[in-house]
Amino acid sequence: MTEAKLSTFSAPKGTYDLIPPDSETFLAVREAIAAPLRRAGYGYVETPVFEDVNLFSRGVGESTDIVTKEMYTLTTKGGDDLALRPEGTASVLRAALQANLHRTGNVPVKLWYSGSYYRYERPQAGRYRQFSQVGAEAIGAEDPALDAELIVLAVDAYRSLGLRDFRLLLNSLGDRECRPLYRAALQDFLGGLDLDEDTRRRAEINPLRVLDDKREAVQKQLAGAPLMRDHLCEGCKAYHEQVRELLTAAGVAYTDDPRLVRGLDYYTRTTFEFVHDGLGSQSAVGGGGRYDGLSEMIGGPALPSVGWALGVDRTVLALRAEGVDVAVPARTQVFAVPLGEQAHRTLFGLVTEARRAGIAADLAFGGKGLKGAMKSADRSGARWAVVAGERDLADGVVQLKDLTTGDQTPVAVDALVTTLKEKLS
RNA sequence: GUGGGCGUAGCUCAGCUGGUAGAGCACCGGGUUGUGGUCCCGGGGGCCGCGGGUUCAAGUCCCGUCGCUCACCCCA
């Protein structure tokens, strides 16, 4: 078989194509993450992949890496400045505000979504320029049970996929009352350290994120750093304690991580991250938290909210690392092998009939010979082959062959679909 | 943005200190004029990423370039 090279194009840097059979796994993972959300009253929301660039710079935070260097931005012919969405929360909240869901429906407004996100970064294992996540947001209510609910739903999603070796890191970042005080204390501490210029600048703009630095030289100096944990106001302390109790009651194990900050500015109080060690250096498979101030930041009313996003690509990598095979829906169950043109027409009809009866059926196309068609039947994964030539059809039968045993018996054409339904039930 | 590793058949890779390009798997055909998977026999496939240099001679050495990849950074 000689094939000319048809294309010199390849997927853009940091992107990849989802093709069979792996693409089935991705679909299954998306569905598995969404299932618990649907059962918990979350409604599906879909927003544009691009938005006004200011939605993100104001929402996600001017100082974040996402906004300062990772956004794909463009100016339209009409002069609008847009950006491909680097995350989901800001868009979903914007959509909820625009549709007045918080007024017309019950609060919390519970929404889930699934889609692709874009960040201009150097690709590496588990980090892509287009990546896929499933997310959930509960908008307009301040209730520790809501934080706990979302975390439990994420854990249930992972478990339903068979993922085992993930850990849940939990922290509270305080609120507008206690965070500024802590921030000042931390800034004070960081001022006394020996830090490089970049880090020094970060300490000015968003000192909490310095805690997240994974470099040893930095971490060593952070040993005695003040922690948010010790600066929480009474309200935040009580709130966080309730979240923890609810998680424990639901049988969800977590690790307190007072250094967990996350890279988006809008988080308040509860923050969490699901980490997995099988992905290389990108350990987060999912994460989220509460964002009580975000609505106001983008021009809405006060709407305390909480949400998360789980990375589909990374979840797939984590599953692979654990050697978990995700159950994918049944492939072809029956494969039809025609001998000659007349049989091809007849089997085309029978395959159509079988499909309409709910059977996953396929047919050899392209005038393959019997041998080639049987090969296709084998590769299709079908349990049954339906073989028919003029001899059979003259007798009003087709040959039904069990591909696992090789046994073959004639079945009347009229009875084929009902026979198959019985065999497959 | 900064570093490291790697680009040889559709895929995974071998090719030692330069001497006319290989394996396994996959694919196609035959053994079986109407039967796949196993087995046996046969076959097609390669600008050795690209450009330049050294040399009688470069997949192999040198330089450049592009691509992939991993890591820093950051995060899903």
Side-chain angles (χ1 to χ4, degrees):
Chain A
M1 269 232 310
T2 311
E3 285 168 36
K5 201 155 229 176
L6 292 176
S7 173
T8 54
F9 295 115
S10 54
K13 192 186 194 70
T15 69
Y16 62 99
D17 304 307
L18 277 176
I19 51 178
D22 291 355
S23 49
E24 294 293 340
T25 304
F26 279 74
L27 269 184
V29 167
R30 287 197 186 106
E31 281 166 17
I33 296 173
L37 295 169
R38 286 198 171 108
R39 286 196 295 268
Y42 288 72
Y44 179 66
V45 62
E46 194 165 316
T47 65
V49 294
F50 51 79
E51 297 272 359
D52 188 318
V53 69
N54 292 310
L55 174 65
F56 301 120
S57 45
R58 278 160 61 189
V60 175
E62 295 283 4
S63 74
T64 60
D65 284 8
I66 291 175
V67 168
T68 56
K69 51 188 193 196
E70 295 174 3
M71 278 206 291
Y72 281 92
T73 56
L74 62 120
T75 303
T76 67
K77 291 178 184 177
D80 293 329
D81 289 320
L82 303 176
L84 296 186
R85 58 188 185 192
E87 60 103 40
T89 301
S91 304
V92 169
L93 183 55
R94 192 229 83 222
L97 290 171
Q98 184 177 335
N100 275 313
L101 293 184
H102 56 296
R103 290 202 192 135
T104 58
N106 295 328
V107 285
V109 178
K110 303 211 281 191
L111 300 169
W112 74 275
Y113 52 94
S114 173
S116 296
Y117 298 84
Y118 305 85
R119 291 183 201 167
Y120 187 82
E121 300 179 89
R122 285 292 284 267
Q124 69 185 74
R127 188 172 78 182
Y128 309 102
R129 289 181 172 183
Q130 172 176 310
F131 56 99
S132 174
Q133 43 184 45
V134 174
E137 314 289 347
I139 298 164
E142 189 182 87
D143 183 339
L146 208 46
D147 306 41
E149 167 178 290
L150 276 164
I151 292 172
V152 170
L153 291 171
V155 169
D156 287 353
Y158 286 140
R159 284 187 187 160
S160 77
L161 283 165
L163 195 70
R164 299 210 51 81
D165 303 332
F166 63 91
R167 298 191 313 283
L168 168 60
L169 307 179
L170 189 65
N171 193 21
S172 174
L173 294 181
D175 62 10
R176 67 185 61 133
E177 187 190 327
C178 53
R179 174 114 67 111
L181 297 173
Y182 167 66
R183 189 189 140 107
L186 179 61
Q187 225 155 22
D188 206 44
F189 173 84
L190 294 174
L193 301 183
D194 175 31
L195 300 169
D196 60 279
E197 198 182 327
D198 269 1
T199 312
R200 201 165 276 286
R201 199 176 311 124
R202 196 175 301 147
E204 285 300 312
I205 302 166
N206 192 342
L208 271 68
R209 286 181 55 237
V210 177
L211 294 178
D212 232 6
D213 200 309
K214 282 164 186 115
R215 289 173 296 182
E216 208 178 321
V218 178
Q219 276 302 324
K220 222 180 284 176
Q221 298 187 69
L222 292 174
L227 296 174
M228 186 70 235
R229 184 167 61 188
D230 305 318
H231 291 72
L232 291 177
C233 61
E234 285 310 311
C236 286
K237 205 179 287 181
Y239 192 96
H240 197 230
E241 196 44 50
Q242 286 186 64
V243 173
R244 294 161 44 109
E245 279 168 18
L246 288 163
L247 288 178
T248 304
V252 170
Y254 56 85
T255 307
D256 287 306
D257 183 353
R259 297 275 173 83
L260 179 69
V261 171
R262 307 187 45 72
L264 293 79
D265 284 353
Y266 54 61
Y267 285 117
T268 53
R269 291 196 164 174
T270 311
T271 52
F272 52 90
E273 201 164 283
F274 295 96
V275 296
H276 194 280
D277 295 327
L279 320 184
S281 83
Q282 306 300 319
S283 59
V285 291
R290 180 155 277 283
Y291 48 94
D292 293 338
L294 178 57
S295 176
E296 289 144 294
M297 280 187 240
I298 62 172
L303 280 175
S305 307
V306 58
W308 52 239
L310 308 188
V312 175
D313 316 77
R314 288 189 183 176
T315 299
V316 169
L317 290 175
L319 288 164
R320 271 187 205 143
E322 288 191 27
V324 176
D325 274 323
V326 176
V328 297
R331 299 187 295 159
T332 304
Q333 297 169 295
V334 178
F335 196 96
V337 175
L339 278 143
E341 245 177 79
Q342 195 198 328
H344 195 260
R345 274 197 295 277
T346 304
L347 288 187
F348 181 83
L350 284 171
V351 163
T352 299
E353 195 190 332
R355 289 171 178 166
R356 286 176 176 158
I359 297 167
D362 202 357
L363 171 67
F365 291 99
K368 280 198 176 94
L370 177 61
K371 202 180 172 76
M374 283 303 296
K375 227 180 240 271
S376 300
D378 189 51
R379 286 173 190 163
S380 76
R383 165 85 189 272
W384 303 95
V386 172
V387 185
E390 296 190 6
R391 269 190 246 153
D392 307 292
L393 295 176
D395 295 340
V397 301
V398 295
Q399 302 296 327
L400 183 58
K401 179 165 185 169
D402 184 336
L403 290 171
T404 55
T405 63
D407 296 339
Q408 180 171 307
T409 52
V411 173
V413 168
D414 296 342
L416 178 65
V417 172
T418 45
T419 305
L420 286 172
K421 288 201 84 164
E422 280 168 31
K423 300 261 192 203
L424 292 166
S425 65

